Structure formats: C-alpha cells, structure tokens
Amino acid sequence: MYVCQAFLAAWSAACRFKGKAAFVVPKGTFKLSPVHFEGPCYDGRSPSVRIRGVLQALAGFSDDNYWIKFSDLNRLSMGGGGEIDGQGADSWSGNKCDKDCKLSSTVRFPRSSIVVRSCMISLLTVALIQTLKFDGVRNSKVARLSLLNSKAFHVKFHRCDNINVSGLKISAPQNSRNTDGIHIAVTNGITIRSSIIGTGDDCISVGQGSRNVTISNIICGPGHGIR
C-alpha cells in the first residue's frame, strides 16, 4: 500500500489541530516514498508520532538526501515500537564517499533506475539517502523504534536542540557502506542511551558544530564504534 499523500494529509490535520494530537501508523506494512513532515505546528506543539506498523522504503534510488524528514518542530515525541526499513541493499555498492564527502556528494546510476520524490516518479541523480532525518527539531524525544537496512545514515540530527534518544534498535549488514546508526551535526544538547546499533559504518558519529553530547549504555557492533 502506497501512502505518501495520505500521510501528508494526516500530518497536516494533526499539525493544525488546536489541542493534543497524535499521528499514528497502525499495524501493517506501508510502502512510502520520500516524505517531509514540516512544522511549526499550532501553538508550538508537535503531534506525537506513533509508528506501530512497518514503514518500507521503495527499493532503488532518489535524488533527495532523506527518506523521512521532520523539520522545524518543537516538543516532538516519536516512538511506538514499529519498524522502519530503508530497503538499502541496492544502494550500498554505490555509497563510495568517504567521511568528508558523505553529506554532499551524489553518484549516478543507470537511467533505467526508477526513483520517487515527493510522491512523483522520475529519473534523477542519486543522493545518499538518510532514513530518518531531524532538522531544526527542539525539546524532543525519539524512543522504541527499529530501523534497518538504510541506504545511508539510519538517523541524522541536524541543527537540533535538547534531544533525548533511547531504546532504538538499528541494524544493517557489516558490508553496507556509509550506514551510520546515528549521525549528529550542528546539534546542542543530545542524549543517546540504551540502544543497540550494528551497521557497516559508525554506530554513532558526531559531526562538526555539535556540543553537549551524552552517550551511554550503547551496544555497538558490527560497526566502527562511536566517534
């Protein structure tokens, strides 16, 4: 079941609601093209996000550098015990950037590759796709989710502030390139704890401009550690 437009409509309604709102993905498997959940929401409060089913990316490539993105939100609470499957196996052989070029470089694949952007099908240049990206998110928590087989980073926090992360299970094969479990960039005040991470790259990587980072009780491996 392809649900991009339905998810965006539900998010828009929850974001505008003048009260306590929840965005819930029920049990079941849902195929989802790249989608961007934007704020700010009503009165500076974000809907809680509960993923109880399985979100499954389309196999193949995209010109976006994210699959699921949350931006410009305050007091976001995300969890639910569900699974987020990046379907990344087709991408790993092309993820040849080193650490310095990961975030900006693109690689080209055969023109026959079908990719999806904002619910539209097109043939485009490929970016290294981060499964779950938080950009400009504040005073928020992410907990009790499983992420697997990302095309690139599984989770990225960028320009975020006061974030609490716990109870994540992140996995990808040891030979999957550039599949960092959690990447932090230009973020202040983030705590990551009580999570199990095993990927083909860093379990947790801390980029430039990040400060007040606390990491504890992480089971890491396979992977390149925490750095």
Side-chain angles (χ1 to χ4, degrees), residues 7 11 21-27 37 46-55 68 70 75-84 132 134 137 140-147 155 157 163-169 195:
F7 275 28
W11 173 261
F23 176 86
V24 179
V25 178
K27 290 185 177 180
F37 299 107
S46 303
S48 66
V49 176
R50 293 293 173 262
I51 300 173
R52 295 171 181 160
V54 176
L55 295 180
I68 302 170
F70 292 86
R75 296 166 61 187
L76 174 69
S77 175
M78 184 173 184
E83 179 178 287
I84 302 175
L132 187 57
F134 299 91
V137 174
S140 299
K141 60 183 179 180
V142 181
R144 293 185 59 247
L145 289 171
S146 296
L147 298 98
V155 183
F157 294 95
I163 303 295
N164 193 302
V165 180
S166 64
L168 298 189
K169 295 180 180 179
S195 296

Side-chain angles (χ1 to χ4, degrees), residues 16-63:
R16 296 195 310 266
F17 185 70
K18 297 179 180 180
K20 189 174 181 180
F23 176 86
V24 179
V25 178
K27 290 185 177 180
T29 299
F30 303 91
K31 292 185 180 294
L32 185 65
S33 55
V35 62
H36 184 184
F37 299 107
E38 297 182 73
C41 293
Y42 178 77
D43 200 28
R45 295 178 297 181
S46 303
S48 66
V49 176
R50 293 293 173 262
I51 300 173
R52 295 171 181 160
V54 176
L55 295 180
Q56 197 173 77
L58 303 183
F61 312 103
S62 170
D63 70 324

Side-chain angles (χ1 to χ4, degrees), residues 37-223:
F37 299 107
E38 297 182 73
C41 293
Y42 178 77
D43 200 28
R45 295 178 297 181
S46 303
S48 66
V49 176
R50 293 293 173 262
I51 300 173
R52 295 171 181 160
V54 176
L55 295 180
Q56 197 173 77
L58 303 183
F61 312 103
S62 170
D63 70 324
D64 289 302
N65 69 354
Y66 63 85
W67 170 29
I68 302 170
K69 180 178 178 180
F70 292 86
S71 69
D72 301 317
L73 294 165
N74 184 41
R75 296 166 61 187
L76 174 69
S77 175
M78 184 173 184
E83 179 178 287
I84 302 175
D85 182 357
Q87 297 281 295
D90 290 342
S91 303
W92 296 330
S93 62
N95 290 356
K96 295 181 180 178
C97 286
D98 60 22
K99 280 288 180 185
D100 293 331
C101 71
K102 267 186 186 180
L103 301 183
S104 59
S105 294
T106 59
V107 291
R108 287 191 177 276
F109 289 83
R111 291 184 60 82
S112 59
S113 299
I114 296 178
V115 299
V116 177
R117 180 184 184 187
S118 301
C119 310
M120 301 296 290
I121 296 177
S122 55
L123 301 175
L124 296 164
T125 302
V126 179
L128 298 184
I129 303 167
Q130 303 147 26
T131 287
L132 187 57
K133 183 175 182 178
F134 299 91
D135 192 356
V137 174
R138 310 178 309 282
N139 307 313
S140 299
K141 60 183 179 180
V142 181
R144 293 185 59 247
L145 289 171
S146 296
L147 298 98
L148 65 153
N149 296 334
S150 181
K151 293 176 172 64
F153 298 158
H154 285 78
V155 183
K156 180 182 177 182
F157 294 95
H158 178 247
R159 298 189 307 115
C160 294
D161 185 76
N162 191 24
I163 303 295
N164 193 302
V165 180
S166 64
L168 298 189
K169 295 180 180 179
I170 301 175
S171 64
Q174 190 168 4
N175 64 349
S176 57
R177 294 174 179 262
N178 292 328
T179 55
D180 292 32
I182 300 173
H183 181 75
I184 306 162
V186 200
T187 287
N188 177 39
I190 182 169
T191 297
I192 303 171
R193 60 186 175 84
S194 304
S195 296
I196 301 171
I197 305 173
T199 72
D201 210 302
D202 298 336
C203 291
I204 300 173
S205 55
V206 182
Q208 293 183 350
S210 297
R211 53 198 176 97
N212 298 317
V213 177
T214 302
I215 300 170
S216 64
N217 194 25
I218 303 297
I219 298 175
C220 172

